[in-house]
């Protein structure tokens, strides 16, 4: 009877060690899966930020033309098309308010979006102010992309 008890005890100890090993292995696999998910989400949000940045730079170029000191007349200028481009950019801002988990960035984008919406009814448009806000958005996005690139 003593030998059977000893063999049972050894098998129980081996089973316990194997169970601990499997638990650690499962925990590591779960962590690896979470890390992969986080990496994919970060990559996706970075791509969205780059898309938003490209649109912001297009709007910046448009606004630079609209605020140029030699633009004394709007002859030949399609302001409706320009305003539609700005509205598309504002819509894109709205779509990307939660693009980055950092709450400061989300708050910043929300504030900028609300500012742009408030300007929609103004005529004439405050192009210099809009340009200032677009450049602030570009700086903010560039900072986030730079931080992600060199992490």
């Amino acid at each position: 009877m003593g030998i059977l008890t000893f063999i049972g005890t050894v098998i129980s100890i081996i089973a316990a060690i194997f169970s601990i090993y499997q638990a650690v292995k499962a925990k590591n696999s779960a962590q690896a899966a979470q890390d992969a998910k986080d990496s994919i989400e970060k990559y996706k949000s970075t791509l969205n930020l780059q898309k938003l940045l490209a649109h912001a730079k297009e709007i910046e170029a448009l606004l630079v033309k609209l605020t140029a000191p030699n633009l004394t007349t709007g002859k030949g200028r399609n302001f409706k098309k320009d305003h539609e481009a700005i509205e598309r950019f504002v819509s894109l801002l709205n779509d990307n308010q939660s693009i980055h988990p950092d709450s400061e960035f989300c708050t910043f984008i929300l504030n900028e979006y609300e500012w742009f919406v408030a300007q929609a009814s103004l005529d004439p448009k405050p192009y210099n102010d809009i340009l200032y806000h677009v450049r602030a958005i570009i700086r903010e996005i560039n900072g986030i992309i730079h931080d992600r690139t060199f992490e």
Side-chain angles (χ1 to χ4, degrees):
M1 197 63 137
I3 292 180
L4 289 177
T5 303
F6 176 74
I7 292 173
T9 302
V10 169
I11 291 175
S12 294
I13 291 171
I14 291 171
I17 291 170
F18 184 71
S19 294
I20 292 170
Y21 169 74
Q22 289 298 325
V24 168
K25 191 175 170 183
K27 180 181 175 187
N28 291 341
S29 294
Q31 185 61 46
Q34 185 63 43
D35 291 347
K37 179 184 173 196
D38 293 345
S39 178
I40 290 169
E41 287 176 357
K42 185 176 177 181
Y43 178 74
K44 183 180 174 188
S45 70
T46 301
L47 288 177
N48 288 337
L49 280 173
Q50 288 173 337
K51 180 180 174 184
L52 183 60
L53 180 63
H55 283 282
K57 287 183 177 182
E58 288 175 16
I59 296 302
E60 179 187 34
L62 169 72
L63 290 167
V64 165
K65 290 177 186 173
L66 290 174
T67 58
N70 60 355
L71 183 69
T72 56
T73 177
K75 279 189 176 177
R77 184 109 199 128
N78 188 347
F79 286 103
K80 182 178 179 189
K81 181 181 173 187
D82 296 341
H83 292 176
E84 287 172 353
I86 294 170
E87 287 173 11
R88 280 192 304 276
F89 173 69
V90 172
S91 176
L92 194 60
L93 271 182
N94 185 41
D95 293 344
N96 289 287
Q97 285 181 30
S98 61
I99 201 169
H100 190 270
D102 176 56
S103 61
E104 286 180 29
F105 180 73
C106 291
T107 303
F108 172 78
I109 291 297
L110 176 61
N111 290 338
E112 291 300 316
Y113 171 74
E114 290 172 351
W115 184 87
F116 275 100
V117 169
Q119 306 312 303
S121 62
L122 298 180
D123 200 26
K125 301 293 183 202
Y127 295 122
N128 285 319
D129 293 340
I130 294 172
L131 179 59
Y132 172 81
H133 283 268
V134 168
R135 285 180 171 163
I137 291 168
I138 290 171
R139 277 192 307 275
E140 193 74 22
I141 294 172
N142 273 333
I144 291 172
I145 291 173
H146 179 270
D147 290 348
R148 288 182 178 188
T149 302
F150 295 105
E151 281 185 339

